[in-house]
């Protein structure tokens, strides 16, 4: 089988996807350990039987709706390539907005000690650490999933960020005395038992489901910030959770509650100042 024939084979198998040829090329380039451009300059070169078998297996996984990020163990976030494996949530583009909002607060309020609940693959803390390399920030990030923490660890090594400490712990239970200036989280916020599209079934349930109503973990995070005197909180949330957050925080004597929207104009997160 030549490179060109392999691409055509993959394109046919993945015809139901939005960009079958692109995905076929990404998977073939991954198997051959070459950049995609190589495929075009060597389209008549034969691939060996092992490469062909490997490629066909990956195409089959993609036909079965497994996200391409898990197959290639790569995901792009905020212009950087992160490691990802199927124990951690695949970072979503809307989380880049949380990073921008948090980055502005770090800058304008001179935050130094930052906590993150639910670090996943580490994209939020790592991107902020990269954006503020000139400051002596410290990040303390928790997750209840050892697989997610493994992803975060690999990415911390990849980007050489020594100022991010990881904890296998729920919420902020790892360090009950430390003062934090800012608390960040993109927690699970989908209602338990929601039927999800097939690709989401490859992602870890503990990264998706937030309780019977969906907003339970968000509420708990807000209470933790209040109890721990953390002055600023930035969280991502579901597009339909604004009213719930407003009602929950009504009697908490906040200095400020603001919501931000995603690129589709949907409510996607909030900023709290205590
Ligand atoms: C939606 S994912 C977000 C991952 C990553 N921060 C991102 O934005 O891509 C939520 C993460 O929270 C973790 N998690 C769920 N409940 C938690 C809890 N009580 N304490 C700490 N982490 C939790 C999950 O394991 C998952 O990694």
């Amino acid at each position: 089988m030549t490179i060109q024939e392999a691409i055509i084979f993959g394109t046919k198998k993945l015809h139901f996807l939005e960009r079958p040829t692109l995905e076929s090329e990404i998977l073939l380039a991954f198997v051959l350990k070459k950049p995609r451009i190589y495929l075009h300059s060597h389209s008549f070169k034969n691939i060996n039987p092992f490469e062909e078998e490997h490629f066909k297996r990956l195409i089959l996984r993609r036909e079965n709706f497994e996200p391409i990020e898990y197959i290639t163990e790569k995901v792009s976030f905020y212009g950087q390539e992160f490691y990802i494996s199927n124990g951690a949530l695949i970072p979503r583009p809307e989380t880049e907005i949380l990073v921008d909002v948090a980055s502005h607060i770090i800058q304008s309020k001179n935050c130094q000690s930052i906590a993150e609940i639910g670090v996943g693959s580490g994209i939020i803390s790592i991107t902020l650490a990269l954006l503020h390399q000139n400051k002596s920030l410290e990040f303390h990030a928790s997750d209840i999933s050892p697989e997610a923490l493994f992803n975060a660890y690999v990415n911390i090594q990849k980007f050489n960020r020594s100022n991010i400490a990881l904890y296998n712990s729920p919420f902020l239970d790892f360090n009950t005395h430390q003062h934090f200036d800012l608390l960040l989280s993109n927690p699970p916020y989908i209602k338990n038992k929601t039927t999800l599209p097939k690709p989401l079934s490859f992602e870890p349930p503990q990264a998706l489901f937030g309780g019977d109503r969906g907003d339970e973990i968000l509420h708990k995070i807000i209470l933790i910030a209040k109890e721990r005197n953390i002055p600023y909180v930035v969280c991502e949330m579901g597009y339909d959770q604004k009213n719930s957050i407003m009602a929950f925080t009504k009697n908490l004597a906040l200095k400020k509650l603001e919501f931000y929207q995603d690129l589709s104009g949907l409510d996607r997160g909030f900023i709290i100042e205590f």
Side-chain angles (χ1 to χ4, degrees):
M1 189 180 241
T2 65
I3 285 181
Q4 191 181 40
E5 285 164 347
I7 294 170
I8 292 169
F9 170 87
T11 303
K12 282 189 184 149
K13 291 280 181 193
L14 303 178
H15 65 93
F16 55 92
L17 298 176
E18 226 171 87
R19 294 171 301 175
T21 303
L22 176 64
E23 297 219 14
S24 179
E25 287 181 10
I26 291 171
L27 292 175
L28 186 59
F30 175 72
V31 166
L32 300 180
K33 300 188 179 66
K34 301 279 187 203
R36 259 179 62 225
I37 190 144
Y38 172 92
L39 307 179
H40 297 284
S41 51
H42 295 77
S43 54
F44 296 108
K45 192 172 187 293
N46 279 311
I47 61 175
N48 73 41
F50 299 105
E51 290 164 340
E52 183 175 329
E53 179 61 22
H54 187 193
F55 175 65
K56 286 182 173 169
R57 283 182 192 206
L58 300 192
I59 290 287
L60 190 62
R61 284 169 66 185
R62 191 63 190 118
E63 261 187 289
N64 196 30
F65 295 100
E66 184 169 346
I68 195 159
E69 292 88 346
Y70 285 152
I71 301 176
T72 58
E73 299 193 325
K74 280 183 219 144
V75 64
S76 162
F77 183 82
Y78 218 98
Q80 302 281 1
E81 191 176 272
F82 288 81
Y83 169 78
I84 194 77
S85 69
N86 65 0
L89 185 99
I90 298 170
R92 306 295 202 263
E94 56 266 28
T95 307
E96 294 183 355
I97 306 172
L98 183 153
V99 168
D100 284 335
V101 170
S103 180
H104 176 73
I105 294 177
I106 291 170
Q107 186 68 36
S108 59
K109 308 294 175 189
N110 198 21
C111 299
Q112 291 188 339
S113 181
I114 297 151
E116 184 185 354
I117 292 175
V119 69
S121 60
I123 44 121
I124 295 175
S125 288
I126 294 171
T127 305
L128 286 167
L130 289 168
L131 287 171
H132 295 274
Q133 291 188 49
N134 54 339
K135 295 196 183 70
S136 52
L137 301 184
E138 48 175 284
F139 292 83
H140 297 264
S142 75
D143 208 293
I144 52 169
S145 155
E147 293 87 357
L149 288 162
F150 171 73
N151 274 255
Y153 173 79
V154 171
N155 284 319
I156 287 170
Q157 300 305 311
K158 176 171 182 185
F159 291 100
N160 205 11
R161 294 299 100 198
S162 55
N163 56 341
I164 305 174
L166 296 174
Y167 304 90
N168 186 1
S169 155
F171 300 102
L172 298 185
D173 292 1
F174 55 85
N175 188 338
T176 44
H177 298 298
Q178 173 146 8
H179 173 76
F180 298 115
D181 303 313
L182 172 63
L183 175 57
L184 304 173
S185 190
N186 172 20
Y189 50 70
I190 299 174
K191 218 182 203 181
N192 287 354
K193 297 188 183 143
T194 305
T195 312
L196 299 173
K198 178 96 192 274
L200 285 180
S201 69
F202 289 90
E203 303 203 61
Q206 72 269 27
L208 299 171
F209 297 112
D212 289 336
R213 292 188 318 268
D215 56 10
E216 286 90 334
I217 295 182
L218 284 163
H219 290 184
K220 172 124 188 184
I221 289 170
I222 295 170
L223 286 183
I224 290 172
K226 183 169 174 64
E227 281 160 16
R228 297 278 301 261
N229 292 319
I230 304 177
Y232 297 96
V233 183
V234 183
C235 280
E236 192 168 307
M237 65 174 198
Y239 69 92
D240 54 355
Q241 289 171 332
K242 181 176 178 179
N243 289 341
S244 142
I245 299 297
M246 279 169 53
F248 183 73
T249 53
K250 207 168 158 198
N251 299 318
L252 293 183
L254 306 182
K255 273 199 200 134
K256 189 171 92 178
L257 169 62
E258 243 176 48
F259 292 89
Y260 65 83
Q261 286 71 40
D262 61 23
L263 296 176
S264 316
L266 298 170
D267 293 315
R268 185 54 65 195
F270 59 83
I271 305 140
I272 285 177
E273 182 179 350
F274 281 103

